[in-house]
PDB file of all heavy atoms in Angstrom:
ATOM      1  N   SER A  28     -30.700 185.850  14.678  1.00 96.00           N
ATOM      2  CA  SER A  28     -31.863 186.215  13.867  1.00 96.00           C
ATOM      3  C   SER A  28     -31.818 185.479  12.529  1.00 96.00           C
ATOM      4  O   SER A  28     -30.763 185.296  11.946  1.00 96.00           O
ATOM      5  CB  SER A  28     -32.012 187.773  13.724  1.00 96.00           C
ATOM      6  OG  SER A  28     -32.322 188.403  14.855  1.00 96.00           O
ATOM      7  N   PHE A  29     -32.927 185.149  12.141  1.00 97.00           N
ATOM      8  CA  PHE A  29     -33.152 184.443  10.818  1.00 97.00           C
ATOM      9  C   PHE A  29     -33.993 185.254   9.909  1.00 97.00           C
ATOM     10  O   PHE A  29     -35.084 185.561  10.193  1.00 97.00           O
ATOM     11  CB  PHE A  29     -33.659 183.040  10.964  1.00 97.00           C
ATOM     12  CG  PHE A  29     -32.804 182.134  11.831  1.00 97.00           C
ATOM     13  CD1 PHE A  29     -32.937 182.156  13.302  1.00 97.00           C
ATOM     14  CD2 PHE A  29     -31.754 181.374  11.273  1.00 97.00           C
ATOM     15  CE1 PHE A  29     -32.148 181.335  14.043  1.00 97.00           C
ATOM     16  CE2 PHE A  29     -30.968 180.603  12.149  1.00 97.00           C
ATOM     17  CZ  PHE A  29     -31.129 180.548  13.464  1.00 97.00           C
ATOM     18  N   GLU A  30     -33.416 185.600   8.721  1.00 96.00           N
ATOM     19  CA  GLU A  30     -34.180 186.470   7.714  1.00 96.00           C
ATOM     20  C   GLU A  30     -35.065 185.523   6.910  1.00 96.00           C
ATOM     21  O   GLU A  30     -34.690 184.322   6.735  1.00 96.00           O
ATOM     22  CB  GLU A  30     -33.200 187.118   6.780  1.00 96.00           C
ATOM     23  CG  GLU A  30     -32.197 188.015   7.558  1.00 96.00           C
ATOM     24  CD  GLU A  30     -32.838 189.221   8.236  1.00 96.00           C
ATOM     25  OE1 GLU A  30     -33.890 189.637   7.745  1.00 96.00           O
ATOM     26  OE2 GLU A  30     -32.247 189.596   9.325  1.00 96.00           O
ATOM     27  N   PRO A  31     -36.222 186.028   6.439  1.00 96.00           N
ATOM     28  CA  PRO A  31     -37.133 185.155   5.622  1.00 96.00           C
ATOM     29  C   PRO A  31     -36.454 184.741   4.352  1.00 96.00           C
ATOM     30  O   PRO A  31     -35.733 185.522   3.672  1.00 96.00           O
ATOM     31  CB  PRO A  31     -38.378 186.105   5.444  1.00 96.00           C
ATOM     32  CG  PRO A  31     -37.956 187.342   5.786  1.00 96.00           C
ATOM     33  CD  PRO A  31     -36.820 187.395   6.677  1.00 96.00           C
ATOM     34  N   GLY A  32     -36.638 183.452   3.802  1.00 96.00           N
ATOM     35  CA  GLY A  32     -36.262 183.039   2.574  1.00 96.00           C
ATOM     36  C   GLY A  32     -34.741 182.690   2.419  1.00 96.00           C
ATOM     37  O   GLY A  32     -34.435 182.298   1.249  1.00 96.00           O
ATOM     38  N   VAL A  33     -34.020 182.702   3.527  1.00 98.00           N
ATOM     39  CA  VAL A  33     -32.597 182.301   3.397  1.00 98.00           C
ATOM     40  C   VAL A  33     -32.340 180.916   3.713  1.00 98.00           C
ATOM     41  O   VAL A  33     -33.120 180.357   4.629  1.00 98.00           O
ATOM     42  CB  VAL A  33     -31.828 183.266   4.406  1.00 98.00           C
ATOM     43  CG1 VAL A  33     -30.289 182.864   4.440  1.00 98.00           C
ATOM     44  CG2 VAL A  33     -31.886 184.744   4.009  1.00 98.00           C
ATOM     45  N   ILE A  34     -31.426 180.147   3.179  1.00 98.00           N
ATOM     46  CA  ILE A  34     -31.087 178.805   3.531  1.00 98.00           C
ATOM     47  C   ILE A  34     -29.830 179.042   4.406  1.00 98.00           C
ATOM     48  O   ILE A  34     -28.692 179.332   3.839  1.00 98.00           O
ATOM     49  CB  ILE A  34     -30.825 177.931   2.395  1.00 98.00           C
ATOM     50  CG1 ILE A  34     -32.090 177.834   1.455  1.00 98.00           C
ATOM     51  CG2 ILE A  34     -30.388 176.507   2.830  1.00 98.00           C
ATOM     52  CD1 ILE A  34     -31.948 176.821   0.290  1.00 98.00           C
ATOM     53  N   TYR A  35     -29.908 178.692   5.656  1.00 98.00           N
ATOM     54  CA  TYR A  35     -28.803 178.836   6.525  1.00 98.00           C
ATOM     55  C   TYR A  35     -28.167 177.443   6.772  1.00 98.00           C
ATOM     56  O   TYR A  35     -28.912 176.481   6.882  1.00 98.00           O
ATOM     57  CB  TYR A  35     -29.262 179.368   7.983  1.00 98.00           C
ATOM     58  CG  TYR A  35     -29.740 180.830   7.922  1.00 98.00           C
ATOM     59  CD1 TYR A  35     -31.048 181.085   7.858  1.00 98.00           C
ATOM     60  CD2 TYR A  35     -28.825 181.831   8.143  1.00 98.00           C
ATOM     61  CE1 TYR A  35     -31.517 182.379   7.801  1.00 98.00           C
ATOM     62  CE2 TYR A  35     -29.280 183.221   8.112  1.00 98.00           C
ATOM     63  CZ  TYR A  35     -30.587 183.389   7.976  1.00 98.00           C
ATOM     64  OH  TYR A  35     -30.983 184.726   7.976  1.00 98.00           O
ATOM     65  N   GLY A  36     -26.867 177.496   7.039  1.00 98.00           N
ATOM     66  CA  GLY A  36     -26.144 176.192   7.411  1.00 98.00           C
ATOM     67  C   GLY A  36     -25.847 176.402   8.909  1.00 98.00           C
ATOM     68  O   GLY A  36     -25.547 177.462   9.407  1.00 98.00           O
ATOM     69  N   LEU A  37     -25.820 175.231   9.672  1.00 98.00           N
ATOM     70  CA  LEU A  37     -25.481 175.196  10.996  1.00 98.00           C
ATOM     71  C   LEU A  37     -24.468 174.171  11.246  1.00 98.00           C
ATOM     72  O   LEU A  37     -24.780 172.955  10.967  1.00 98.00           O
ATOM     73  CB  LEU A  37     -26.638 175.149  11.974  1.00 98.00           C
ATOM     74  CG  LEU A  37     -26.325 174.953  13.481  1.00 98.00           C
ATOM     75  CD1 LEU A  37     -25.641 176.303  13.959  1.00 98.00           C
ATOM     76  CD2 LEU A  37     -27.558 174.741  14.293  1.00 98.00           C
ATOM     77  N   ILE A  38     -23.189 174.486  11.403  1.00 98.00           N
ATOM     78  CA  ILE A  38     -22.097 173.437  11.491  1.00 98.00           C
ATOM     79  C   ILE A  38     -21.505 173.531  12.887  1.00 98.00           C
ATOM     80  O   ILE A  38     -21.740 174.525  13.638  1.00 98.00           O
ATOM     81  CB  ILE A  38     -21.074 173.592  10.267  1.00 98.00           C
ATOM     82  CG1 ILE A  38     -20.309 174.960  10.538  1.00 98.00           C
ATOM     83  CG2 ILE A  38     -21.760 173.577   9.022  1.00 98.00           C
ATOM     84  CD1 ILE A  38     -19.110 175.135   9.532  1.00 98.00           C
ATOM     85  N   GLY A  39     -20.592 172.547  13.212  1.00 97.00           N
ATOM     86  CA  GLY A  39     -19.893 172.597  14.440  1.00 97.00           C
ATOM     87  C   GLY A  39     -19.550 171.105  14.749  1.00 97.00           C
ATOM     88  O   GLY A  39     -20.158 170.283  14.236  1.00 97.00           O
ATOM     89  N   PRO A  40     -18.567 170.949  15.583  1.00 96.00           N
ATOM     90  CA  PRO A  40     -18.068 169.649  15.938  1.00 96.00           C
ATOM     91  C   PRO A  40     -19.124 168.798  16.637  1.00 96.00           C
ATOM     92  O   PRO A  40     -20.131 169.334  17.055  1.00 96.00           O
ATOM     93  CB  PRO A  40     -16.893 169.797  16.921  1.00 96.00           C
ATOM     94  CG  PRO A  40     -16.482 171.348  16.842  1.00 96.00           C
ATOM     95  CD  PRO A  40     -17.758 171.995  16.290  1.00 96.00           C
ATOM     96  N   ASN A  41     -18.945 167.552  16.680  1.00 96.00           N
ATOM     97  CA  ASN A  41     -19.813 166.644  17.398  1.00 96.00           C
ATOM     98  C   ASN A  41     -20.031 167.057  18.830  1.00 96.00           C
ATOM     99  O   ASN A  41     -19.104 167.466  19.536  1.00 96.00           O
ATOM    100  CB  ASN A  41     -19.289 165.019  17.436  1.00 96.00           C
ATOM    101  CG  ASN A  41     -19.345 164.548  16.070  1.00 96.00           C
ATOM    102  OD1 ASN A  41     -18.271 164.184  15.557  1.00 96.00           O
ATOM    103  ND2 ASN A  41     -20.484 164.410  15.452  1.00 96.00           N
ATOM    104  N   GLY A  42     -21.285 167.058  19.289  1.00 97.00           N
ATOM    105  CA  GLY A  42     -21.543 167.503  20.653  1.00 97.00           C
ATOM    106  C   GLY A  42     -21.596 168.987  20.865  1.00 97.00           C
ATOM    107  O   GLY A  42     -21.631 169.387  22.044  1.00 97.00           O
ATOM    108  N   SER A  43     -21.553 169.716  19.883  1.00 97.00           N
ATOM    109  CA  SER A  43     -21.417 171.210  20.019  1.00 97.00           C
ATOM    110  C   SER A  43     -22.837 171.900  20.309  1.00 97.00           C
ATOM    111  O   SER A  43     -22.904 173.078  20.668  1.00 97.00           O
ATOM    112  CB  SER A  43     -20.802 171.889  18.825  1.00 97.00           C
ATOM    113  OG  SER A  43     -21.465 171.594  17.570  1.00 97.00           O
ATOM    114  N   GLY A  44     -23.961 171.061  20.140  1.00 98.00           N
ATOM    115  CA  GLY A  44     -25.319 171.583  20.562  1.00 98.00           C
ATOM    116  C   GLY A  44     -26.177 171.807  19.427  1.00 98.00           C
ATOM    117  O   GLY A  44     -27.286 172.424  19.676  1.00 98.00           O
ATOM    118  N   LYS A  45     -25.884 171.433  18.208  1.00 98.00           N
ATOM    119  CA  LYS A  45     -26.644 171.738  17.056  1.00 98.00           C
ATOM    120  C   LYS A  45     -28.111 171.049  17.182  1.00 98.00           C
ATOM    121  O   LYS A  45     -29.087 171.670  16.994  1.00 98.00           O
ATOM    122  CB  LYS A  45     -25.999 171.189  15.825  1.00 98.00           C
ATOM    123  CG  LYS A  45     -24.534 171.795  15.634  1.00 98.00           C
ATOM    124  CD  LYS A  45     -23.894 171.285  14.365  1.00 98.00           C
ATOM    125  CE  LYS A  45     -23.661 169.747  14.241  1.00 98.00           C
ATOM    126  NZ  LYS A  45     -22.812 169.165  15.340  1.00 98.00           N
ATOM    127  N   THR A  46     -28.131 169.754  17.508  1.00 98.00           N
ATOM    128  CA  THR A  46     -29.355 169.057  17.563  1.00 98.00           C
ATOM    129  C   THR A  46     -30.149 169.627  18.780  1.00 98.00           C
ATOM    130  O   THR A  46     -31.468 169.797  18.709  1.00 98.00           O
ATOM    131  CB  THR A  46     -29.161 167.496  17.773  1.00 98.00           C
ATOM    132  OG1 THR A  46     -28.566 167.018  16.565  1.00 98.00           O
ATOM    133  CG2 THR A  46     -30.415 166.780  18.029  1.00 98.00           C
ATOM    134  N   THR A  47     -29.546 169.922  19.848  1.00 98.00           N
ATOM    135  CA  THR A  47     -30.266 170.563  20.969  1.00 98.00           C
ATOM    136  C   THR A  47     -30.898 171.852  20.652  1.00 98.00           C
ATOM    137  O   THR A  47     -32.114 172.062  20.997  1.00 98.00           O
ATOM    138  CB  THR A  47     -29.326 170.635  22.244  1.00 98.00           C
ATOM    139  OG1 THR A  47     -28.681 169.456  22.558  1.00 98.00           O
ATOM    140  CG2 THR A  47     -30.046 171.124  23.471  1.00 98.00           C
ATOM    141  N   LEU A  48     -30.216 172.605  19.865  1.00 98.00           N
ATOM    142  CA  LEU A  48     -30.724 173.921  19.438  1.00 98.00           C
ATOM    143  C   LEU A  48     -32.025 173.666  18.594  1.00 98.00           C
ATOM    144  O   LEU A  48     -33.042 174.367  18.736  1.00 98.00           O
ATOM    145  CB  LEU A  48     -29.717 174.690  18.757  1.00 98.00           C
ATOM    146  CG  LEU A  48     -30.142 176.083  18.271  1.00 98.00           C
ATOM    147  CD1 LEU A  48     -30.390 177.033  19.554  1.00 98.00           C
ATOM    148  CD2 LEU A  48     -29.187 176.856  17.425  1.00 98.00           C
ATOM    149  N   ILE A  49     -31.910 172.651  17.675  1.00 98.00           N
ATOM    150  CA  ILE A  49     -33.079 172.402  16.733  1.00 98.00           C
ATOM    151  C   ILE A  49     -34.217 171.806  17.719  1.00 98.00           C
ATOM    152  O   ILE A  49     -35.431 172.190  17.474  1.00 98.00           O
ATOM    153  CB  ILE A  49     -32.660 171.445  15.705  1.00 98.00           C
ATOM    154  CG1 ILE A  49     -31.902 172.189  14.681  1.00 98.00           C
ATOM    155  CG2 ILE A  49     -33.885 170.667  15.087  1.00 98.00           C
ATOM    156  CD1 ILE A  49     -31.683 171.509  13.335  1.00 98.00           C
ATOM    157  N   ASN A  50     -33.850 171.029  18.735  1.00 98.00           N
ATOM    158  CA  ASN A  50     -34.887 170.459  19.657  1.00 98.00           C
ATOM    159  C   ASN A  50     -35.622 171.662  20.409  1.00 98.00           C
ATOM    160  O   ASN A  50     -36.769 171.619  20.662  1.00 98.00           O
ATOM    161  CB  ASN A  50     -34.343 169.491  20.508  1.00 98.00           C
ATOM    162  CG  ASN A  50     -34.048 168.169  19.879  1.00 98.00           C
ATOM    163  OD1 ASN A  50     -34.486 167.891  18.809  1.00 98.00           O
ATOM    164  ND2 ASN A  50     -33.060 167.387  20.482  1.00 98.00           N
ATOM    165  N   LEU A  51     -34.813 172.674  20.724  1.00 98.00           N
ATOM    166  CA  LEU A  51     -35.425 173.826  21.383  1.00 98.00           C
ATOM    167  C   LEU A  51     -36.258 174.640  20.465  1.00 98.00           C
ATOM    168  O   LEU A  51     -37.417 175.018  20.726  1.00 98.00           O
ATOM    169  CB  LEU A  51     -34.303 174.714  22.001  1.00 98.00           C
ATOM    170  CG  LEU A  51     -33.484 174.142  23.067  1.00 98.00           C
ATOM    171  CD1 LEU A  51     -32.210 174.937  23.305  1.00 98.00           C
ATOM    172  CD2 LEU A  51     -34.354 174.063  24.376  1.00 98.00           C
ATOM    173  N   MET A  52     -35.768 174.882  19.189  1.00 98.00           N
ATOM    174  CA  MET A  52     -36.448 175.690  18.181  1.00 98.00           C
ATOM    175  C   MET A  52     -37.717 174.986  17.731  1.00 98.00           C
ATOM    176  O   MET A  52     -38.690 175.662  17.344  1.00 98.00           O
ATOM    177  CB  MET A  52     -35.641 176.038  17.012  1.00 98.00           C
ATOM    178  CG  MET A  52     -34.454 176.923  17.356  1.00 98.00           C
ATOM    179  SD  MET A  52     -33.245 177.024  15.956  1.00 98.00           S
ATOM    180  CE  MET A  52     -34.154 178.103  14.898  1.00 98.00           C
ATOM    181  N   SER A  53     -37.811 173.675  17.803  1.00 97.00           N
ATOM    182  CA  SER A  53     -39.080 172.967  17.342  1.00 97.00           C
ATOM    183  C   SER A  53     -39.978 172.630  18.439  1.00 97.00           C
ATOM    184  O   SER A  53     -40.887 171.942  18.380  1.00 97.00           O
ATOM    185  CB  SER A  53     -38.599 171.699  16.573  1.00 97.00           C
ATOM    186  OG  SER A  53     -37.873 170.896  17.421  1.00 97.00           O
ATOM    187  N   GLY A  54     -39.608 173.015  19.787  1.00 97.00           N
ATOM    188  CA  GLY A  54     -40.598 172.802  20.839  1.00 97.00           C
ATOM    189  C   GLY A  54     -40.388 171.506  21.494  1.00 97.00           C
ATOM    190  O   GLY A  54     -41.222 171.130  22.357  1.00 97.00           O
ATOM    191  N   LEU A  55     -39.500 170.613  21.045  1.00 97.00           N
ATOM    192  CA  LEU A  55     -39.372 169.290  21.642  1.00 97.00           C
ATOM    193  C   LEU A  55     -38.759 169.438  23.010  1.00 97.00           C
ATOM    194  O   LEU A  55     -39.182 168.645  23.828  1.00 97.00           O
ATOM    195  CB  LEU A  55     -38.395 168.464  20.717  1.00 97.00           C
ATOM    196  CG  LEU A  55     -38.428 166.966  20.870  1.00 97.00           C
ATOM    197  CD1 LEU A  55     -39.744 166.401  20.566  1.00 97.00           C
ATOM    198  CD2 LEU A  55     -37.256 166.345  20.058  1.00 97.00           C
ATOM    199  N   TYR A  56     -37.932 170.319  23.289  1.00 97.00           N
ATOM    200  CA  TYR A  56     -37.399 170.564  24.577  1.00 97.00           C
ATOM    201  C   TYR A  56     -37.799 171.973  25.049  1.00 97.00           C
ATOM    202  O   TYR A  56     -37.979 172.914  24.204  1.00 97.00           O
ATOM    203  CB  TYR A  56     -35.815 170.612  24.600  1.00 97.00           C
ATOM    204  CG  TYR A  56     -35.131 169.365  24.384  1.00 97.00           C
ATOM    205  CD1 TYR A  56     -33.708 169.287  24.077  1.00 97.00           C
ATOM    206  CD2 TYR A  56     -35.755 168.085  24.501  1.00 97.00           C
ATOM    207  CE1 TYR A  56     -33.098 168.181  23.771  1.00 97.00           C
ATOM    208  CE2 TYR A  56     -35.036 166.835  24.269  1.00 97.00           C
ATOM    209  CZ  TYR A  56     -33.758 166.961  24.031  1.00 97.00           C
ATOM    210  OH  TYR A  56     -33.127 165.756  23.704  1.00 97.00           O
ATOM    211  N   GLY A  57     -38.001 172.088  26.382  1.00 97.00           N
ATOM    212  CA  GLY A  57     -38.230 173.516  26.910  1.00 97.00           C
ATOM    213  C   GLY A  57     -36.911 174.157  27.159  1.00 97.00           C
ATOM    214  O   GLY A  57     -35.954 173.515  27.428  1.00 97.00           O
ATOM    215  N   LEU A  58     -37.008 175.455  27.082  1.00 98.00           N
ATOM    216  CA  LEU A  58     -35.737 176.279  27.364  1.00 98.00           C
ATOM    217  C   LEU A  58     -35.512 176.466  28.762  1.00 98.00           C
ATOM    218  O   LEU A  58     -36.508 176.548  29.550  1.00 98.00           O
ATOM    219  CB  LEU A  58     -35.909 177.727  26.752  1.00 98.00           C
ATOM    220  CG  LEU A  58     -35.783 177.883  25.187  1.00 98.00           C
ATOM    221  CD1 LEU A  58     -36.924 177.298  24.472  1.00 98.00           C
ATOM    222  CD2 LEU A  58     -35.796 179.402  24.904  1.00 98.00           C
ATOM    223  N   ASP A  59     -34.280 176.470  29.261  1.00 98.00           N
ATOM    224  CA  ASP A  59     -34.105 176.879  30.632  1.00 98.00           C
ATOM    225  C   ASP A  59     -34.009 178.372  30.779  1.00 98.00           C
ATOM    226  O   ASP A  59     -34.292 178.959  31.819  1.00 98.00           O
ATOM    227  CB  ASP A  59     -32.584 176.351  31.082  1.00 98.00           C
ATOM    228  CG  ASP A  59     -32.659 174.874  31.290  1.00 98.00           C
ATOM    229  OD1 ASP A  59     -33.676 174.357  31.490  1.00 98.00           O
ATOM    230  OD2 ASP A  59     -31.637 174.212  31.028  1.00 98.00           O
TER     231      ASP A  59
END
Side-chain angles (χ1 to χ4, degrees):
S28 289
F29 299 88
E30 305 295 330
V33 176
I34 303 184
Y35 292 95
L37 178 61
I38 66 172
N41 291 117
S43 56
K45 306 179 298 296
T46 295
T47 305
L48 186 63
I49 284 194
N50 287 342
L51 293 167
M52 292 171 77
S53 59
L55 195 65
Y56 291 166
L58 286 66
D59 289 331

